[in-house]
Amino acid sequence: MTIVYYLAAAIAVISTAMVITRTNAVHALLYMIVSLLSLALIFFTLGAPFVAALEVIIYAGAIVVLFVFVIMMLNLGAEATAREQQWLQPKAWRGPAILCAILFVEFLVLLVVEPGQAGAPAAVGVKRVGAALYGPYVLGVELAAMLLLAGLVGAFHLGRRVPSDGEEGES
């Protein structure tokens, strides 16, 4: 179990470093998917299958689809078509595919070889998570909420359109 944990952690670190260092947005997005899947496997090995499922569904699913839509909307024209043809070549998929294959083998080992140890630490229920978040960790929850609110206000002010002199609008 600890081997799976440490191997998934190493894959998470490697793929996150690849996300940061890639200049091509699609390559970085592929490595980001690998990083999120490895984090889900880490959560699963720590006895939190619900959090692992949320990691896959929300982050590796919905958020990455949003990123793909933004990337596709920003790439317009003939140059984007040539770039998309380059993405279809196997060399762009080789690294993420190898890391995902390792994660898949680890997951199979957890489910098939060691079925009794799939959640070695006691599984944590939703009630205990809620009690912990609003008990001793309430300050962290409030700080995260304030940070998200600040990000939302900042995104609004950066994205709003300022009316020119001849246009009507609110000031």
Side-chain angles (χ1 to χ4, degrees):
M1 181 70 83
T2 58
I3 294 171
V4 171
Y5 174 81
Y6 286 117
L7 192 56
I11 290 174
V13 169
I14 291 169
S15 59
T16 303
M18 295 298 280
V19 168
I20 296 169
T21 59
R22 298 301 95 186
T23 57
N24 191 331
V26 173
H27 294 175
L29 189 62
L30 290 173
Y31 281 110
M32 184 174 153
I33 294 169
V34 174
S35 176
L36 293 172
L37 291 176
S38 62
L39 286 177
L41 187 61
I42 289 170
F43 284 131
F44 187 77
T45 59
L46 291 175
F50 179 70
V51 177
L54 286 179
E55 182 82 22
V56 171
I57 293 169
I58 293 174
Y59 291 109
I63 301 297
V64 170
V65 167
L66 178 69
F67 286 166
V68 167
F69 283 140
V70 169
I71 289 171
M72 295 304 165
M73 283 177 24
L74 293 177
N75 292 328
L76 302 174
E79 181 182 312
T81 306
R83 192 177 307 137
E84 287 175 9
Q85 291 299 322
Q86 183 183 15
W87 295 340
L88 295 176
Q89 295 181 5
K91 68 178 183 177
W93 297 84
R94 196 171 297 135
I98 290 170
L99 294 175
C100 280
I102 294 170
L103 286 175
F104 185 69
V105 168
E106 287 180 350
F107 188 66
L108 287 179
V109 166
L110 281 177
L111 292 179
V112 176
V113 177
E114 303 174 9
Q117 299 179 357
V124 179
V126 177
K127 186 175 182 179
R128 283 184 53 197
V129 170
L133 286 178
Y134 291 106
Y137 300 111
V138 70
L139 182 61
V141 171
E142 292 297 326
L143 288 174
M146 295 296 284
L147 183 64
L148 289 172
L149 179 64
L152 180 68
V153 170
F156 171 75
H157 283 289
L158 287 174
R160 73 183 173 135
R161 188 173 148 246
V162 179
S164 60
D165 293 335
E167 296 180 20
E168 291 183 25
E170 300 176 37
S171 52

